[in-house]
């Protein structure tokens, strides 16, 4: 069986990405150290976890909750502020280290996994879940007040 020429495949996909409707991300060797997932509710930081490659492949791996470095939080918040006049109800910003500084891998606004189960302190976990529920209720109340009947379409 001939070996797969991954570089040729990547170049072919890159050439056709607009026609195929796909997004290609370059491999970042530093991503092997883990991806910091920062969780926000209505633009305010809630909590973070460090995801490793095993999590992305479906393996059962524990995810440590961490306090991310200030530069990661600033990057995540700057990106959200540049994209949205009104902050989305919830967001997850996935960041990895890069040769020239942190790199955003994903700004997840549609059904992100929010890692509540990974918060070891029950009081902090409860507070995060309550904050999430409160922001959803606020959004519903705001939409009703404005007479909106469908999704705001962030």
């Amino acid at each position: 069986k001939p070996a797969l020429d991954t570089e040729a495949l990547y170049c072919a996909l890159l050439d056709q990405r607009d026609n195929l409707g796909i997004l290609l991300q370059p491999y970042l060797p530093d991503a092997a150290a883990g991806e910091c997932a920062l969780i926000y509710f209505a633009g305010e930081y809630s909590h973070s976890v460090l995801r490793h490659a095993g999590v992305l492949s479906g393996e059962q791996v524990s995810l440590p909750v961490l306090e991310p470095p200030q530069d990661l939080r600033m990057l995540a918040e700057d990106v959200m502020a540049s994209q949205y006049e009104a902050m989305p109800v919830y967001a997850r910003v996935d960041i990895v280290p890069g040769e020239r500084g942190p790199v955003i891998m994903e700004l997840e606004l549609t059904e992100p996994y929010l890692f509540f189960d990974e918060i070891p302190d029950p009081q902090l976990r409860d507070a995060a879940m309550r904050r999430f529920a409160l922001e959803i209720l606020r959004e519903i109340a705001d939409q009703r007040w404005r007479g909106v009947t469908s999704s705001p379409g962030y």
Side-chain angles (χ1 to χ4, degrees), residues 5 12 24 49 59 63 72 82 96 100 103 118 138 144 150:
D5 184 351
L24 296 174
V49 298
E59 291 177 27
L63 301 171
L72 296 190
S82 74
V96 297
R100 291 177 268 166
V103 177
E118 305 304 329
R138 280 189 184 149
R144 285 186 180 159
S150 64

Side-chain angles (χ1 to χ4, degrees), residues 7 34 40 42 49 59 72 74 88 95 105 107 124 133:
E7 187 172 340
Y40 287 84
V49 298
E59 291 177 27
L72 296 190
M74 288 174 51
I95 302 176
M105 296 300 288
L107 174 58
L124 293 177

Side-chain angles (χ1 to χ4, degrees), residues 16-133:
Q16 293 298 313
R17 70 180 178 266
D18 292 335
N19 296 332
L20 297 172
I22 60 174
L23 171 72
L24 296 174
Q25 292 178 315
Y27 174 73
L28 298 177
D30 292 334
E35 179 177 276
C36 184
L38 293 88
I39 313 300
Y40 287 84
F41 302 131
E44 290 188 29
Y45 174 77
S46 174
H47 58 282
S48 298
V49 298
L50 182 62
R51 300 187 328 170
H52 291 284
V55 173
L56 304 177
S57 67
E59 291 177 27
Q60 188 72 16
V61 178
S62 64
L63 301 171
V65 173
L66 63 108
E67 185 59 37
Q70 193 62 30
D71 63 330
L72 296 190
R73 284 187 56 181
M74 288 174 51
L75 175 61
E77 290 161 15
D78 287 349
V79 166
M80 286 192 299
S82 74
Q83 299 297 311
Y84 301 99
E85 195 172 301
M87 287 294 146
V89 173
Y90 53 84
R92 189 186 76 225
V93 185
D94 298 338
I95 302 176
V96 297
E99 287 179 8
R100 291 177 268 166
V103 177
I104 292 185
M105 296 300 288
E106 186 173 13
L107 174 58
E108 179 64 68
L109 304 173
T110 306
E111 300 181 39
Y113 184 71
L114 301 173
F115 299 101
F116 292 123
D117 292 339
E118 305 304 329
I119 303 172
D121 181 322
Q123 289 180 319
L124 293 177
R125 182 174 46 247
D126 186 55
M129 290 189 295
R130 287 177 186 270
R131 176 73 197 284
F132 177 57

